[in-house]
């Protein structure tokens, strides 16, 4: 195996997770916003006709130095996993910028940059780092109609969305991603389209693409937008045998506490949780200090509920460094042996009695 190749990534992560609580990275969007970039930074010399300001994903092509610097900052802070800056690097989202023809290039380059930073930091201390190819939900939903007067209408169908994801996933894999992270899942059916795309992509690229799946809650009752509880969501995606299952974004660590416990008790996979740095203030900014976030996520670690921690919106390398310090030496969650039952999911879970 060459230095930090994708070979054996699943086994290597599982082995590391038996030894300690691992760290993924933090927010990318807010880190990019902090750099106060102008439209020219985003547009570069690509000659696109649309205004590109705010198209964070395209920076892999126009300002790769910034993408690399953010990834390196997280690895320096203690992250074991660095994600690609590709949350909206899909044909649907990039159409808003007239850049849908660049989707493959954006994903490939972002994964390549992540791989380069992983190699650099493994070379420094010998500890393997991993690259997670980030796949966001798009702005379409398969489960819900955007037209309140026509509840049966859908803007997109399953096969079309699967193909959108497939283009992205293949490019991430070919660029060097170890895992595919389907994240911020507000619609469980969207996630299933992503899972189908990953399975199809494995055949195209000729290697396993271990899945990381992360749900986001849209209300304090603990459901996503398509109405699934955390337990029901797990039963809906467990067939994909993900490497990690977890929660991200949502309301911050304090509000996620009961839902992390539910997932920890039922999931026979690694649990990865990366919350926002609290709730945004009236200006849309995040005020929760790194030490506060670290103290909150340490509670999960103290109770043996997590294997991987990180941050989402508003989190910074300082948040990751504080988390790493807070959980240092604490034992990781033990993956439970879940009794074999028929477990089904509508909006609520259903377990068939033995």
């Amino acid at each position: 195996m060459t230095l930090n190749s994708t070979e054996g990534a699943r086994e290597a992560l599982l082995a590391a997770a038996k030894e300690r609580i691992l760290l993924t990275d933090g927010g990318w969007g807010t880190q990019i916003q902090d750099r106060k970039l102008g439209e020219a930074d985003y547009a570069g010399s690509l000659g696109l006709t649309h205004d590109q300001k705010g198209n964070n994903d395209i920076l892999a092509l126009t300002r790769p130095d910034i993408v690399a610097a953010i990834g390196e900052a997280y690895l320096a802070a203690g992250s074991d996993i660095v994600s690609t800056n590709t949350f909206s690097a899909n044909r649907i989202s990039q159409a808003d910028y007239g850049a849908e023809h660049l989707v493959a290039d954006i994903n490939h380059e972002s994964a390549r940059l992540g791989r380069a930073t992983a190699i650099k930091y493994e070379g420094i201390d010998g500890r393997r780092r991993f690259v997670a190819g980030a796949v966001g939900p798009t702005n379409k939903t398969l489960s819900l109609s955007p037209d309140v007067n026509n509840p049966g209408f859908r803007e997109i169908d399953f096969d079309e969305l699967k193909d959108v994801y497939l283009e992205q996933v293949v490019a991430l894999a070919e660029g060097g991603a170890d895992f595919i992270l389907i994240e911020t899942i507000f619609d469980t059916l969207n996630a299933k389209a992503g899972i189908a795309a990953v399975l199809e992509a494995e055949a195209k690229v000729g290697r396993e693409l271990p899945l990381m799946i992360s749900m986001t809650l849209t209300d304090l009752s603990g459901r996503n937008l398509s109405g699934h509880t955390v337990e029901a969501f797990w039963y809906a995606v467990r067939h994909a045998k993900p490497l990690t299952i977890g929660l991200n974004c949502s309301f911050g660590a304090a509000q996620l506490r009961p839902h992390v416990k539910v997932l920890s008790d039922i999931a026979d996979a690694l649990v990865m949780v990366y919350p926002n740095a609290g709730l945004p203030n009236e200006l849309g900014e995040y005020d929760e200090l790194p030490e506060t976030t670290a103290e909150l996520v340490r509670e999960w670690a103290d109770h043996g509920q997590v294997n991987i921690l990180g941050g989402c919106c508003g989190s910074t390398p300082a948040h990751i460094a504080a988390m790493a310090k807070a959980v240092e030496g604490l034992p990781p969650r033990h993956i439970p042996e879940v009794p074999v039952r028929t477990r089904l999911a509508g909006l609520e879970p259903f377990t068939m009695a033995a």
Side-chain angles (χ1 to χ4, degrees), residues 6 72 114 127 141 144 160 200 212 277:
T6 58
E72 288 196 21
R127 193 173 92 233
T141 171
L144 302 169
E160 185 179 355
E200 195 169 320
M212 297 174 140

Side-chain angles (χ1 to χ4, degrees), residues 5-77:
S5 75
T6 58
E7 184 181 342
R10 177 191 286 272
E11 293 75 17
L13 189 76
L14 286 170
K18 287 181 179 179
E19 302 297 323
R20 59 190 173 85
I21 295 171
L22 305 178
L23 279 298
T24 187
D25 56 13
W28 279 77
T30 42
Q31 286 295 289
I32 291 170
Q33 289 169 16
D34 286 348
R35 283 162 169 78
K36 310 297 183 188
L37 302 178
E39 203 274 337
D41 292 295
Y42 291 93
S45 59
L46 296 175
L48 298 171
T49 57
H50 292 54
D51 190 316
Q52 296 300 308
K53 189 168 185 180
N55 187 5
N56 291 342
D57 307 75
I58 209 166
L59 293 173
L61 303 180
T62 58
R63 289 297 306 270
D65 56 316
I66 289 175
V67 177
I70 293 172
E72 288 196 21
Y74 281 124
L75 291 175

Side-chain angles (χ1 to χ4, degrees), residues 12-265:
L13 189 76
L14 286 170
K18 287 181 179 179
E19 302 297 323
R20 59 190 173 85
I21 295 171
L22 305 178
L23 279 298
T24 187
D25 56 13
W28 279 77
T30 42
Q31 286 295 289
I32 291 170
Q33 289 169 16
D34 286 348
R35 283 162 169 78
K36 310 297 183 188
L37 302 178
E39 203 274 337
D41 292 295
Y42 291 93
S45 59
L46 296 175
L48 298 171
T49 57
H50 292 54
D51 190 316
Q52 296 300 308
K53 189 168 185 180
N55 187 5
N56 291 342
D57 307 75
I58 209 166
L59 293 173
L61 303 180
T62 58
R63 289 297 306 270
D65 56 316
I66 289 175
V67 177
I70 293 172
E72 288 196 21
Y74 281 124
L75 291 175
S79 294
D80 298 279
I81 303 164
V82 62
S83 56
T84 57
N85 180 44
T86 52
F87 186 82
S88 297
N90 61 77
R91 202 185 314 152
I92 293 171
S93 301
Q94 287 301 311
D96 293 340
Y97 297 98
E100 57 267 47
H101 61 292
L102 295 173
V103 162
D105 293 337
I106 293 169
N107 284 282
H108 188 282
E109 185 62 11
S110 193
R112 189 195 66 77
L113 291 167
R115 174 59 56 204
T117 60
I119 290 171
K120 177 177 179 178
Y121 275 81
E122 182 179 344
I124 290 172
D125 59 15
R127 193 173 92 233
R128 184 165 178 174
R129 306 308 202 281
F130 302 91
V131 181
V135 176
T138 80
N139 57 8
K140 307 294 183 186
T141 171
L142 291 172
S143 295
L144 302 169
S145 172
D147 184 353
V148 295
N149 297 312
N150 185 3
F153 174 71
R154 298 291 184 273
E155 288 185 284
I156 192 170
D157 65 29
F158 186 94
D159 288 339
E160 185 179 355
L161 185 57
K162 183 265 294 179
D163 288 342
V164 167
Y165 284 137
L166 179 61
E167 179 183 23
Q168 181 177 13
V169 169
V170 167
L172 287 169
E174 290 178 343
D178 291 298
F179 316 122
I180 300 299
L181 170 61
I182 302 174
E183 63 175 340
T184 319
I185 297 166
F186 62 78
D187 183 338
T188 304
L189 193 54
N190 280 34
K192 284 179 171 288
I195 291 167
V198 172
L199 294 175
E200 195 169 320
E202 287 181 331
K204 287 182 176 292
V205 301
R207 67 177 173 93
E208 182 193 21
L209 298 173
L211 270 166
M212 297 174 140
I213 298 177
S214 189
M215 175 189 188
T216 191
L217 305 180
T218 54
D219 64 53
L220 294 177
S221 72
R223 296 177 186 271
N224 65 0
L225 190 63
S226 58
H228 295 88
T229 65
V230 170
E231 187 174 1
F233 177 79
W234 168 238
Y235 297 151
V237 301
R238 181 176 178 267
H239 68 280
K241 295 181 171 57
L243 176 61
T244 72
I245 185 71
L247 301 166
N248 77 287
C249 205
S250 304
F251 313 104
Q255 302 291 350
L256 284 180
R257 185 182 298 114
H259 310 297
V260 172
K261 183 181 186 308
V262 166
L263 195 56
S264 176
D265 288 344

